[in-house]
Amino acid sequence: MAQHRNALGRGLGSLISMDDTPAKGSSAINDINLDRITPNPAQPRTTFDEEALEELAASIRELGIIQPLSLRKTGPDSYQIIAGERRYRAARMAGLTSVPAYIRTANDSELTEMALIENIQREDLNAIEIALTFKKLIDQYSLTQERLSERIGKKRATIANFLRLLRLPAEVQLGLRDKRLDMGHARALLSIDNPSIQLKIYKEIIRQGLSVRKVEELAKAYQQGELDKNTTAEKNDRQYASHDFDLLKKHLSNAFQTPVKFSCDKKGKGSITFSFSNEEDLARLITLFDTLKP
């Protein structure tokens, strides 16, 4: 058991190779019939972009498979994918009957870890896929976050942040999976403890294209009791805009010593009006404006 843990504790390099050199426990490159290969049911990646697969298939038809797959033997003449399911799918689309592959020795735990690490290193997984795989490893093998951190070479805080994403409403998780919002938006939403508010703001992120900073402001407003379940993000956004206008209005009124008014529509278009009481006051304002010319 100790020997097994030490092998896993050496970091990413000992678990999987990202170049054409066989990793420890691998054979030389073999040519394996596609019909003898099955996908990994524990594959962390759950979505495969069809257009991207078509492009990869076209490249394979032209150049072949440059990076061999990593497989493990599951029977006398059968294999399971450790890493390279996307290449496997594209090879089938390209009409290939066999693919180059390394044959590696791996148990079920190592199989999941290797698949996870290979995808992370290639940045192929979305945040939810990573979070779900972390959870699976923790639950299935009774690991602590600290132990998982040691085994896959990721900081414990990074693992914890990904796992927290699974607390978000399902619709928000799907949006994160489909990259309709990013991790910055998700972290801001996680600071809100009300799922209905999280979902409401998420819909405004999609509808209005809210920035991460704006979502952070909305989250802060909720924490301070300024955003309740009946308040939409759009309404609160207008409140923040109004507040910003009030500050600017006050600044300009003080600078020009005259009342200043703002008008703004939903698209952000508007006007600024400077008031004057008589011709002398107008002349004073014109003089002030002239001093602002470059």
Side-chain angles (χ1 to χ4, degrees), residues 16-30:
I16 195 158
S17 172
M18 294 305 295
D19 54 28
D20 289 334
T21 304
K24 185 177 180 181
S26 301
S27 66
I29 297 177
N30 299 266

Side-chain angles (χ1 to χ4, degrees), residues 3-291:
Q3 182 178 1
H4 172 67
R5 289 219 301 258
N6 286 339
L8 289 172
R10 287 197 295 269
L12 303 183
S14 64
L15 283 173
I16 195 158
S17 172
M18 294 305 295
D19 54 28
D20 289 334
T21 304
K24 185 177 180 181
S26 301
S27 66
I29 297 177
N30 299 266
D31 197 47
I32 306 297
N33 192 302
L34 281 171
D35 291 337
R36 303 187 186 281
I37 300 172
T38 57
N40 170 13
Q43 158 72 268
R45 191 178 198 184
T46 58
T47 57
F48 293 84
D49 184 277
E50 286 299 319
E51 185 176 346
L53 280 176
E54 288 283 2
E55 291 175 355
L56 180 57
S59 173
I60 288 173
R61 290 188 195 98
E62 184 72 22
L63 302 171
I65 293 180
I66 297 174
Q67 172 67 42
L69 284 69
S70 291
L71 310 175
R72 71 165 177 171
K73 201 171 182 67
T74 55
D77 202 14
S78 59
Y79 305 88
Q80 189 177 68
I81 297 171
I82 295 175
E85 183 171 343
R86 185 167 172 270
R87 280 163 278 162
Y88 163 80
R89 290 177 178 236
R92 280 192 171 280
M93 293 173 68
L96 272 61
T97 58
S98 62
V99 291
Y102 297 125
I103 311 304
R104 302 199 56 190
T105 301
N107 60 32
D108 288 344
S109 173
E110 292 170 324
L111 176 69
T112 304
E113 290 172 315
M114 289 175 181
L116 171 66
I117 291 166
E118 195 262 357
N119 279 286
I120 289 176
Q121 287 186 336
R122 293 176 182 274
E123 298 184 349
D124 280 349
L125 295 181
N126 61 62
I128 294 300
E129 288 172 333
I130 294 173
L132 288 170
T133 306
F134 283 163
K135 188 176 187 304
K136 179 176 181 178
L137 287 168
I138 287 172
D139 293 346
Q140 189 167 339
Y141 302 105
S142 301
L143 300 175
T144 63
Q145 291 183 19
E146 189 66 36
R147 181 69 185 126
L148 180 60
S149 169
E150 295 171 359
R151 290 176 76 151
I152 67 173
K154 289 285 184 181
K155 293 181 180 179
R156 182 184 177 281
T158 299
I159 293 172
N161 285 334
F162 274 106
L163 290 173
R164 289 177 66 225
L165 298 176
L166 301 179
R167 302 176 190 171
L168 291 167
E171 187 174 345
V172 181
Q173 291 186 40
L174 287 173
L176 192 56
R177 185 200 69 180
D178 297 337
K179 299 182 179 179
R180 302 184 73 190
L181 72 164
D182 59 32
M183 284 287 285
H185 291 106
R187 281 193 292 268
L189 289 174
L190 280 166
S191 66
I192 297 172
D193 58 9
N194 186 322
S196 65
I197 295 295
Q198 290 175 333
L199 192 55
K200 192 180 292 289
I201 294 177
Y202 163 71
K203 290 178 179 179
E204 294 299 329
I205 292 172
I206 303 305
R207 192 172 68 84
Q208 298 189 58
L210 299 181
S211 66
V212 172
R213 182 177 179 182
K214 180 57 66 178
V215 177
E216 290 171 344
E217 290 176 350
L218 292 171
K220 185 177 179 181
Y222 172 78
Q223 292 163 359
Q224 295 175 347
E226 299 172 5
L227 184 70
D228 60 37
K229 63 182 180 180
N230 296 317
T231 304
T232 66
E234 181 183 9
K235 179 179 177 182
N236 203 72
D237 187 44
R238 289 199 300 269
Q239 289 173 346
Y240 269 91
S242 177
H243 176 66
D244 293 339
F245 284 155
D246 286 343
L247 290 177
L248 183 56
K249 223 175 7 176
K250 183 177 179 181
H251 175 74
L252 290 175
S253 295
N254 290 336
F256 290 92
Q257 293 297 303
T258 192
V260 176
K261 294 181 180 179
F262 282 83
S263 65
C264 185
D265 62 20
K266 292 182 179 180
K267 295 182 179 180
K269 296 180 180 179
S271 62
I272 302 174
T273 305
F274 292 80
S275 300
F276 53 91
S277 55
N278 50 48
E279 291 185 0
E280 291 182 357
D281 200 21
L282 173 60
R284 179 184 64 82
L285 287 174
I286 292 173
T287 301
L288 287 173
F289 285 132
D290 285 339
T291 63

